[in-house]
């Protein structure tokens, strides 16, 4: 049986992209000859602390404290080739076609790594009407999508707030600078420090929060496609439809490059 199961993969593109992006910025700073000028503790506190605090205001405490798990899902996330999943479904459909739905009972243990598929086929084997199976699986999938969107929305909100906190820090620095106009020698350094908060906010937003939110949404779309394959398969098996028809249904939701030809 085509398998391999869903595996938690390490997304090297995310890590390498972040490291290379920050390396380029740091290299530009170092080549400029004054890396120390880009370090200002009060500016860091305003941007990091302010972004965290205001983001927490926008969400429930539990949602905000779960940001660590959200970030982890952008780097370590379950993945499986939807083509392999479709082939597995078609093989199970053939087994059910030849031996009846109850013949799948002996295959459920091998599907424990595919919790969503296991749940759907368990309902089918238990005699749950196909329409009810579809309703349960769709609600489950929608709840998963909603959780992923919530995680992405936290990162997006932080990406929106970070530049604003940078601007607030810049305004604070400018006010302090204008208060010391009687000392011309302090204007240049004060202006540099004032602009640092804008720099920190722009870096956090455009190099961390927004890219990670985009990656989380991409991972969510992949999982949604995989779960759609499982749902269509489980419902079709429950209706005892011809596996050839199931193949056409699966190919209708799979991207062209992922479509399968099981019966050819």
């Amino acid at each position: 049986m085509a398998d391999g199961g869903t595996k938690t993969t390490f997304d090297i593109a995310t890590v390498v992209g972040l490291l290379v992006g920050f390396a380029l910025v740091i290299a530009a700073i170092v080549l400029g000859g004054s890396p120390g000028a880009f370090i200002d503790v009060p500016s860091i506190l305003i941007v990091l602390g302010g972004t965290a605090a205001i983001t927490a205001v926008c969400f429930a405490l539990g949602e905000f404290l779960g940001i660590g798990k959200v970030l982890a899902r952008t780097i370590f996330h379950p993945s499986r080739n939807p083509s392999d999943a479709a082939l597995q479904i078609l093989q199970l459909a053939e087994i059910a076609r030849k031996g009846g739905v109850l013949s799948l009972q002996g295959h459920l243990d091998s599907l424990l790594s595919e919790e969503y598929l296991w749940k759907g086929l368990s309902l089918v084997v238990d005699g749950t009407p196909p329409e009810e199976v579809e309703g349960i699986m769709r609600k489950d999938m929608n709840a998963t999508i909603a959780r992923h969107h919530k995680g992405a929305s936290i990162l997006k909100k932080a990406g929106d707030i970070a530049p604003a906190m940078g601007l607030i820090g810049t305004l604070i620095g400018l006010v302090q600078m204008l208060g010391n106009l009687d000392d011309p020698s302090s204007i240049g350094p004060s202006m540099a420090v004032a602009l640092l908060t804008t720099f920190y906010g722009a870096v956090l937003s455009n190099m961390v929060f927004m890219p990670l939110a985009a990656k989380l949404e991409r991972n969510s779309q992949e999982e949604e496609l995989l779960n759609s394959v499982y749902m269509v398969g489980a419902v079709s098996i429950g209706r005892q439809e011809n596996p050839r028809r199931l193949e056409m249904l699966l190919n209708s939701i799979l991207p062209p490059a992922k479509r399968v030809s099981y019966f050819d």
Side-chain angles (χ1 to χ4, degrees):
M1 179 179 293
D3 197 12
T6 298
K7 299 178 181 178
T8 299
T9 60
F10 176 74
D11 193 342
I12 191 170
T14 299
V15 176
V16 170
L18 288 173
L19 291 177
V20 171
F22 276 98
L24 291 173
V25 172
I26 293 172
I29 291 173
V30 172
L31 291 175
S34 56
F38 285 82
I39 300 176
D40 183 65
V41 175
S43 297
I44 293 174
L45 292 176
I46 290 173
V47 175
L48 287 180
T51 298
I54 303 306
T55 302
V57 172
C58 300
F59 299 92
L61 182 61
E63 294 172 343
F64 177 74
L65 294 179
I67 190 64
K69 293 181 179 179
V70 172
L71 294 174
R73 284 203 302 269
T74 63
I75 300 175
F76 300 96
H77 65 94
S79 66
R80 187 185 186 191
N81 190 327
S83 298
D84 292 340
L87 291 174
Q88 183 185 24
I89 287 289
L90 290 169
Q91 290 172 346
L92 291 169
E94 274 203 307
I95 293 171
R97 180 80 169 179
K98 295 175 181 177
V101 171
L102 291 179
S103 64
L104 296 177
Q105 181 73 51
H107 296 272
L108 290 179
D109 289 343
S110 65
L111 301 175
L112 290 176
S113 63
E114 305 291 342
E115 183 179 355
Y116 191 72
L117 176 60
W118 177 88
K119 180 178 181 179
L121 290 181
S122 295
L123 291 170
V124 170
V125 171
D126 289 341
T128 307
E131 294 74 16
E132 189 173 339
V133 172
E134 182 177 9
I136 293 172
M137 295 185 74
R138 190 174 297 279
K139 288 180 181 178
D140 196 347
M141 181 168 65
N142 289 340
T144 300
I145 294 171
R147 288 195 301 270
H148 291 172
H149 284 179
K150 178 64 69 175
S153 68
I154 294 175
L155 293 177
K156 284 184 176 180
K157 180 58 68 174
D160 291 337
I161 292 172
M165 294 307 303
L167 179 59
I168 290 173
T170 296
L171 293 175
I172 293 173
L174 289 175
V175 170
Q176 293 174 341
M177 182 192 71
L178 293 174
N180 295 315
L181 286 180
D182 55 338
D183 182 10
S185 63
S186 68
I187 294 178
S190 297
M191 175 64 79
V193 171
L195 293 177
L196 275 180
T197 52
T198 297
F199 170 72
Y200 292 150
V203 167
L204 273 180
S205 176
N206 296 290
M207 296 184 65
V208 180
F209 295 132
M210 289 303 189
L212 291 180
K215 179 55 70 73
L216 189 61
E217 289 180 338
R218 174 191 173 277
N219 293 344
S220 178
Q221 290 171 356
E222 284 189 349
E223 185 173 348
E224 182 180 358
L225 174 61
L226 186 62
N227 287 343
S228 296
V229 168
Y230 289 150
M231 181 178 67
V232 169
V235 173
S236 178
I237 292 172
R239 290 172 177 162
Q240 298 183 346
E241 296 176 340
N242 191 313
R244 291 182 178 273
R245 182 176 186 277
L246 174 57
E247 182 183 46
M248 290 188 292
L249 289 174
L250 293 175
N251 283 333
S252 69
I253 62 176
L254 289 171
K258 299 290 185 180
R259 290 173 183 169
V260 297
S261 299
Y262 182 73
F263 293 101
D264 291 344

